[in-house]
């Protein structure tokens, strides 16, 4: 064995949160980057395991690494931008920030920072938008590859309604996408995502060519935005007058299906919900972004009643924080406003196994079943005094997990491991010292 870790242990081996397995005293065995065994310490000891050989974290919770299915790599510096809704926010803050990623050195430095920030937030896999510049895609793939991360990204396609410096042009935009795809898709743990930003910034010609590219490479993914704000929907209908509705713009060119991730999906018509359901297209719920940009309340139950797969994501920089603990807490609030409480069990399922399923990566990441990738986090409630207090008085694991979800943040991440290698370690500071050093 390469590593044997003893801690509190949590994962979801099955297809729903009903499958939750929690052991107060668990052991995880790792060999060659894979999970070999996850079980109760007592049981493994009875089978001859020498517990004195374990890395022992008795108060910490070991769980699969978080999976973020919608995040923007070039928006690390866009977070916390004041006072606007989506379309103005894009013009005022986002496009100027993304313009800088044409510079190779800038993009490479940012990619290292982005991957390190993901790991510090407990995220081991992301599906990320790059910028419209091929340099940004190369930089992010290189940074993720250097860390052996399971990372999916692609060049943003946007050939209209965007300023000089971020707008691309046909047919080069598709040619570049195909070149990047051919170079990177399937290399180590990297995957290519065909990435038309949204219908507002792509001509019908570009969307059609993107759909044609997807039809030739059906094992890639698609990511785009759908029905995020009411202003955006009205504007999109003017630009694409021949479409029956917003989803139809993507459907008529084949940018749909189980490997297509539609960010937001807040204001869908019944017809759009039906078409998403019938085509198996996935939605991604980004509650922190939706609150921050004032976009609306995603009707999760309505989409799930139609059996649409729904991911849960940070959407940095529309969402201000990378750590999915924040996203879960905001999801709780957004759903509370719809009289639909979100349990910690469901929320932790969603950011691990649930997102793996939505991204079609089940069996590879997201749980501790034998053979899954050894991508995991150690959550330490004692790194925040308020979390430590609330967890200490919790009567059940559900109560303790709920306290971590509502009160927690990236401070709780003690270690993030990729393929068995600890790539982020918070260090040996005690919580009190940590808080003092962080104000
Ligand atoms: N719609 C088109 N582009 C974006 C983006 O960068 N962020 C969000 N939240 N919505 C978008
Ligand atoms: Zn987004």
């Amino acid at each position: 064995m390469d590593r044997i870790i003893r801690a509190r242990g949590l994962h979801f081996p099955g297809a729903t949160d009903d499958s939750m397995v929690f052991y107060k005293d668990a052991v995880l065995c790792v060999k060659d980057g894979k999970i070999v065994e996850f079980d109760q310490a007592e049981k493994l000891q009875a089978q001859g395991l020498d517990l004195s050989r374990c890395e022992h974290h008795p108060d910490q919770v070991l769980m699969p690494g978080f999976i973020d299915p919608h995040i923007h790599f070039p928006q690390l510096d866009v977070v916390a931008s004041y006072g606007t809704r989506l379309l103005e926010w894009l013009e005022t803050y986002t496009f100027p920030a993304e313009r800088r990623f044409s510079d190779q050195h800038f993009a490479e430095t940012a990619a290292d920072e982005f991957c390190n920030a993901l790991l510090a937030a407990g995220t081991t896999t992301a599906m990320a938008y790059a910028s419209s510049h091929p340099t940004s895609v190369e930089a992010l793939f290189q940074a993720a590859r250097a860390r052996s991360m399971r990372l999916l990204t692609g060049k943003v396609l946007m050939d209209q309604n965007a300023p000089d410096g971020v707008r691309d042009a046909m047919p080069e935009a598709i040619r570049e996408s195909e070149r990047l795809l051919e170079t990177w898709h399937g290399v180590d743990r990297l995957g290519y995502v065909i990435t038309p930003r949204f219908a507002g910034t792509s001509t019908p010609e570009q969307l059609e060519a993107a759909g044609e590219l997807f039809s030739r490479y059906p094992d890639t993914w698609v990511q785009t935005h759908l029905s995020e704000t009411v202003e955006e929907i009205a504007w999109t209908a003017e630009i694409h007058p021949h479409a029956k509705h917003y989803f139809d713009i993507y459907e008529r060119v084949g940018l749909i299906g189980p490997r297509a991730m539609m960010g937001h999906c807040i204001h869908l018509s019944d017809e759009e919900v039906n078409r998403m359901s019938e085509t198996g297209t996935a939605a991604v719920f980004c509650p922190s972004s939706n609150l921050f940009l004032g976009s609306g309340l995603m009707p999760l139950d309505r989409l799930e009643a139609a059996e649409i797969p729904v991911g849960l994501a940070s959407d940095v920089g529309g969402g201000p924080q990378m750590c999915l603990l924040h996203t879960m807490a905001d999801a709780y609030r957004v759903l509370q406003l719809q009289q639909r409480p979100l349990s910690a069990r469901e929320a932790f399922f969603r950011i691990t196994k649930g997102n793996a399923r939505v991204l079609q990566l089940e069996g590879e990441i997201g749980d501790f079943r034998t053979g899954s990738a050894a991508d995991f986090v150690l959550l330490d409630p004692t790194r925040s005094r308020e979390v430590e207090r609330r967890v200490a008085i919790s009567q059940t694991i559900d109560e303790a997990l709920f306290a971590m979800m509502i009160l927690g943040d990236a401070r709780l991440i003690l270690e993030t491991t990729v393929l068995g290698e600890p790539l982020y370690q918070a260090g040996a500071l005690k919580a009190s010292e940590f808080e003092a050093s962080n104000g």
Side-chain angles (χ1 to χ4, degrees):
M1 265 343 126
D2 297 329
R3 286 182 76 187
I4 305 175
I5 303 164
R6 182 178 176 192
R8 293 162 183 267
L10 173 78
H11 82 139
F12 300 87
T16 69
D17 59 25
D18 289 342
S19 68
M20 183 169 101
V21 171
F22 174 74
Y23 301 135
K24 249 187 172 150
D25 190 6
V27 168
L28 182 76
C29 303
V30 175
K31 178 117 184 96
D32 298 331
K34 296 257 165 81
I35 308 292
V36 175
E37 183 115 56
F38 174 72
D39 213 330
Q40 300 192 60
E42 197 175 36
K43 208 161 138 195
L44 293 177
Q45 188 180 32
Q47 291 169 14
L49 179 75
D50 176 4
L51 290 182
S52 69
R53 288 178 53 220
C54 300
E55 302 167 38
H56 194 193
H57 301 280
D59 297 324
Q60 286 72 32
V61 185
L62 187 63
M63 66 176 78
F66 304 159
I67 299 168
D68 192 340
H70 185 126
I71 184 166
H72 296 259
F73 153 51
Q75 294 180 19
L76 210 50
D77 295 340
V78 177
V79 296
S81 293
Y82 173 74
T84 51
R85 289 169 61 85
L86 175 65
L87 299 178
E88 194 188 342
W89 174 85
L90 287 170
E91 291 283 339
T92 310
Y93 302 113
T94 308
F95 294 154
E98 295 196 5
R99 188 180 291 135
R100 304 172 73 182
F101 286 73
S102 62
D103 181 89
Q104 186 178 339
H105 177 70
F106 184 87
E108 284 173 0
T109 306
D112 277 326
E113 220 171 289
F114 180 76
C115 289
N116 290 343
L118 285 174
L119 295 168
T123 299
T124 50
T125 284
M127 178 180 275
Y129 289 66
S131 73
S132 53
H133 316 95
T135 42
S136 71
V137 182
E138 304 266 9
L140 184 53
F141 274 138
Q142 277 160 8
R145 190 183 193 192
R147 293 162 178 80
S148 300
M149 291 170 75
R150 186 70 170 110
L151 187 118
L152 317 171
T153 191
K155 179 195 126 50
V156 158
L157 294 162
M158 47 191 312
D159 67 340
Q160 68 170 355
N161 298 323
D164 290 350
V166 291
R167 195 179 59 256
D168 62 18
M170 292 293 288
E172 296 79 17
I174 295 293
R175 216 181 287 142
E176 279 298 320
S177 299
E178 186 164 2
R179 181 185 65 78
L180 290 162
L181 185 166
E182 284 279 359
T183 309
W184 292 100
H185 185 63
V187 171
D188 295 340
R189 305 182 76 198
L190 309 175
Y192 196 81
V193 193
I194 297 166
T195 308
R197 177 173 217 118
F198 67 155
T201 49
S202 283
T203 57
E205 177 200 6
Q206 185 172 64
L207 292 174
E208 192 174 331
E212 193 272 336
L213 184 64
F214 184 42
S215 73
R216 284 193 288 116
Y217 296 93
D219 68 338
T220 59
W221 288 263
V222 168
Q223 62 184 345
T224 188
H225 296 86
L226 173 66
S227 199
E228 182 174 357
T229 71
V230 288
E231 301 92 326
E232 169 213 11
I233 295 165
W235 179 61
T236 304
E238 280 172 30
I239 300 170
H240 297 274
H242 303 300
K244 282 189 274 185
H245 41 67
Y246 198 160
F247 181 71
D248 185 50
I249 300 169
Y250 301 130
E251 181 170 6
R252 56 175 59 210
V253 296
L255 290 167
I256 53 156
R259 300 181 77 84
M261 308 295 139
M262 302 283 146
H264 305 294
C265 299
I266 298 174
H267 310 281
L268 297 175
S269 65
D270 288 345
E271 163 103 16
E272 288 175 297
V273 170
N274 284 342
R275 290 310 303 151
M276 283 191 72
S277 171
E278 280 166 27
T279 56
T281 306
V284 186
F285 178 25
C286 306
S288 306
S289 170
N290 301 158
L291 292 170
F292 185 77
L293 294 174
S295 303
L297 304 178
M298 205 261 213
L300 179 65
D301 277 348
R302 180 170 166 240
L303 301 201
E304 290 201 323
E307 297 181 10
I308 294 170
V310 184
L312 178 60
S314 73
D315 191 28
V316 159
Q321 288 102 359
M322 233 187 214
C323 183
L324 288 167
L325 294 171
H326 282 288
T327 307
M328 295 194 297
D330 283 337
Y332 181 79
R333 295 179 175 99
V334 165
L335 295 171
Q336 276 289 73
L337 287 168
Q338 303 176 66
Q339 292 77 51
R340 195 288 202 188
L342 173 70
S343 68
R345 192 177 282 238
E346 180 186 342
F348 277 101
F349 169 78
R350 285 183 180 279
I351 66 161
T352 56
K353 185 64 171 283
N355 281 341
R357 285 170 57 80
V358 171
L359 290 176
Q360 309 282 311
L361 295 174
E362 186 178 14
E364 205 186 304
I365 56 171
D367 63 27
F368 286 154
R369 289 194 300 183
T370 302
S372 288
D375 293 352
F376 55 81
V377 290
L378 263 173
L379 279 186
D380 184 354
T382 72
R383 290 179 57 77
S384 153
R385 184 67 190 129
E386 60 181 335
V387 180
E388 182 181 31
R389 282 179 67 89
R390 189 62 188 82
V391 166
I393 57 167
S394 295
Q395 305 289 315
T396 63
I397 180 59
D398 289 275
E399 195 183 341
L401 289 172
F402 189 65
M404 287 195 257
M405 146 181 169
I406 296 300
L407 302 173
D409 54 42
R411 278 176 302 174
L412 300 196
I413 310 299
L414 183 64
E415 177 185 312
T416 306
T417 281
V418 173
L419 295 187
E421 293 294 322
L423 295 189
Y424 171 79
Q425 278 171 322
L429 286 182
K430 286 205 211 80
S432 53
E433 293 168 275
F434 181 84
E435 281 177 355
S437 70
N438 280 270

